[in-house]
Amino acid sequence: MKKTNQGITLITLVITIIVLLILSGVTIATLAGENGILRKVSSAKLQTDEGEEKEEIAIAYNGARTETKGELVTAEGINQQFEINGTKAVATQTGDKIKVDFETGRSYIIDSYGKIEKYDDISKYLEVGDYVNYPDKSQNKILCKVLYNDENYGVQLVAVNPVDTVTLGYNDETIPSSMESEDNSEKAKYSYNNAIKTLNNKAEIYRNPKYTEEGKARCIGSIPDNPMYESKDFIQSYAYLTTCGVNGVLKDSDDNYDKDWKQLKIIESRGIMDISKSSEYWVCSRYAALGSGASGFVIRNVSSKGILKTTKELCSATTYDKNVLGKSESCGFRPVFSLKSNVKIDSSNGKDGTNEIKAYDLR
């Protein structure tokens, strides 16, 4: 009978421990869980702090508005009010946009109507390789990946798939009408020499001014912070090309593609192609394959297998017959967009989903 009682006591003790563990688990979850008391308290404090900061901005804004007798409020006027009120914040201005930075690390935007909105640096919410939908100028969403997110290049998105097909060479649609009577070799030379500009300008067709400033859309393979840069000038040092009329006329090779190409390899986006478009795409960089007998002048491209190629010649020159042949090539086009600082992210789908971008109301 004694053993039976001991068994019952042991079972009771085990059950008691299990109940206590369950209760402690419930308590921890209640305190620190996703919807726990501590999180709610922290969230409530954050909302209170942000509300107080917005109120301080509103007081300063209204004070500055009174001082200007209803005229346009400036960052300087708001800073004067901050100093009077003892507010630990600094206002800066770009155009009609006023940004207020508090010592707490939080920032706010004031639009031209006095509306105050919390401002977050977009770089905090995106990582290289994240998917983002970029609404183009026509509001068509272009599926992109984050190509860069750093202090040198800011946040730049690259279209995952080619969005269009671009033809270079003698059928290049940007060749001026004044060259209509020229032969194909002259047209191809023009297209080759202007290819970097042509490809970067193509990106402007898709640039949405709400999210990307003018000049901040480009073709993949151009210099990330200086797209129109050309590291080499016209070919000068190859005397055997003089007989073909190429020396000093066509531009030399460059390594513009290098930075983007390394970054593309990092995020492994090369193999993701849109079957409704060309699976190949242009890279905004030249390559001059120079030889004493024959030379080819190429705009780099990437094959459907993700291999960097130098096979799409726009011109070829042969010294034995002093001939320059003009060619025409078509390839896919992948734009890159640098995001404005006033862009914010709707990441409601989470890291496994595709982020949507929006812009602060700065009318």
Side-chain angles (χ1 to χ4, degrees):
M1 188 71 178
K2 187 175 182 180
K3 289 183 178 180
T4 303
N5 289 337
Q6 287 177 343
I8 293 171
T9 301
L10 181 60
I11 292 170
T12 302
L13 179 61
V14 170
I15 292 172
T16 301
I17 291 172
I18 291 171
V19 170
L20 289 174
L21 287 173
I22 292 171
L23 290 174
S24 65
V26 171
T27 302
I28 292 171
T30 302
L31 287 172
E34 187 173 341
N35 296 308
I37 294 172
L38 295 179
R39 281 182 178 269
K40 288 181 178 178
V41 169
S42 176
S43 177
K45 184 180 183 308
L46 178 62
Q47 290 180 12
T48 299
D49 291 344
E50 289 176 357
E52 289 175 352
E53 287 174 346
K54 286 184 177 181
E55 185 176 355
E56 289 182 82
I57 294 172
I59 291 171
Y61 181 89
N62 290 330
R65 190 179 178 87
T66 300
E67 289 292 323
T68 61
K69 296 180 172 55
E71 296 296 322
L72 187 67
V73 174
T74 64
E76 183 181 1
I78 290 176
N79 283 328
Q80 289 174 355
Q81 294 298 314
F82 282 159
E83 187 174 352
I84 293 169
N85 301 333
T87 302
K88 295 179 178 180
V90 176
T92 55
Q93 186 161 358
T94 303
D96 63 352
K97 176 179 70 175
I98 298 176
K99 183 169 176 278
V100 176
D101 297 302
F102 278 83
E103 287 187 357
T104 60
R106 289 183 288 269
S107 300
Y108 302 85
I109 291 291
I110 312 172
D111 68 15
S112 57
Y113 297 99
K115 179 184 175 183
I116 303 165
E117 188 172 2
K118 189 170 183 292
Y119 176 91
D120 280 321
D121 186 346
I122 188 175
S123 64
K124 295 191 299 185
Y125 298 94
L126 293 174
E127 296 177 3
V128 170
D130 281 354
Y131 287 99
V132 178
N133 273 323
Y134 181 91
D136 69 12
K137 188 181 293 185
S138 301
Q139 295 302 312
N140 298 312
K141 289 184 179 180
I142 299 175
L143 179 62
C144 297
K145 272 191 172 184
V146 179
L147 182 62
Y148 295 100
N149 183 2
D150 58 43
E151 60 183 11
N152 293 319
Y153 305 135
V155 178
Q156 296 192 21
L157 311 178
V158 58
V160 169
N161 304 307
V163 299
D164 204 346
T165 299
V166 176
T167 299
L168 299 176
Y170 62 77
N171 280 326
D172 186 338
E173 63 181 14
T174 67
I175 294 172
S177 58
S178 59
M179 294 186 65
E180 187 175 351
S181 60
E182 300 278 356
D183 60 31
N184 286 345
S185 64
E186 293 302 314
K187 292 177 181 177
K189 288 177 186 178
Y190 176 92
S191 181
Y192 171 82
N193 281 339
N194 289 277
I196 289 176
K197 180 180 178 181
T198 298
L199 290 170
N200 284 323
N201 285 344
K202 181 73 174 179
E204 283 292 300
I205 296 174
Y206 299 94
R207 181 182 67 87
N208 188 328
K210 191 174 183 180
Y211 306 114
T212 300
E213 294 176 357
E214 186 176 357
K216 297 295 185 178
R218 62 185 181 89
C219 175
I220 190 73
S222 53
I223 300 294
D225 57 348
N226 191 8
M228 296 299 185
Y229 175 75
E230 302 187 37
S231 59
K232 299 286 185 180
D233 207 337
F234 294 94
I235 297 166
Q236 297 289 353
S237 58
Y238 301 93
Y240 55 80
L241 291 174
T242 303
T243 58
C244 305
V246 170
N247 211 25
V249 173
L250 292 179
K251 294 183 179 180
D252 210 337
S253 301
D254 63 60
D255 58 0
N256 290 6
Y257 70 95
D258 187 58
K259 289 183 173 63
D260 277 356
W261 183 245
K262 288 177 179 176
Q263 199 72 358
L264 283 172
K265 291 176 72 175
I266 290 173
I267 65 174
E268 296 181 347
S269 66
R270 293 173 298 157
I272 305 174
M273 298 298 176
D274 182 348
I275 59 173
S276 66
K277 303 288 184 184
S278 169
S279 58
E280 300 177 305
Y281 59 90
W282 291 114
V283 176
C284 204
S285 177
R286 296 189 190 88
Y287 176 71
L290 303 176
S292 58
S295 300
F297 300 90
V298 176
I299 303 302
R300 302 179 201 266
N301 76 291
V302 176
S303 73
S304 59
K305 294 182 179 179
I307 300 171
L308 187 64
K309 306 284 282 187
T310 55
T311 55
K312 288 192 176 292
E313 290 184 346
L314 302 190
C315 303
S316 62
T318 49
T319 55
Y320 63 87
D321 60 0
K322 303 178 183 180
N323 184 47
V324 177
L325 179 64
K327 301 180 180 180
S328 188
E329 295 281 359
S330 297
C331 211
F333 175 77
R334 292 177 70 184
V336 177
F337 306 102
S338 294
L339 295 183
K340 285 182 177 181
S341 60
N342 69 322
V343 171
K344 55 184 177 179
I345 284 292
D346 178 3
S347 56
S348 56
N349 292 327
K351 284 292 180 185
D352 295 328
T354 299
N355 297 290
E356 304 288 338
I357 60 175
K358 299 179 179 180
Y360 289 95
D361 184 6
L362 301 176
R363 292 171 296 176

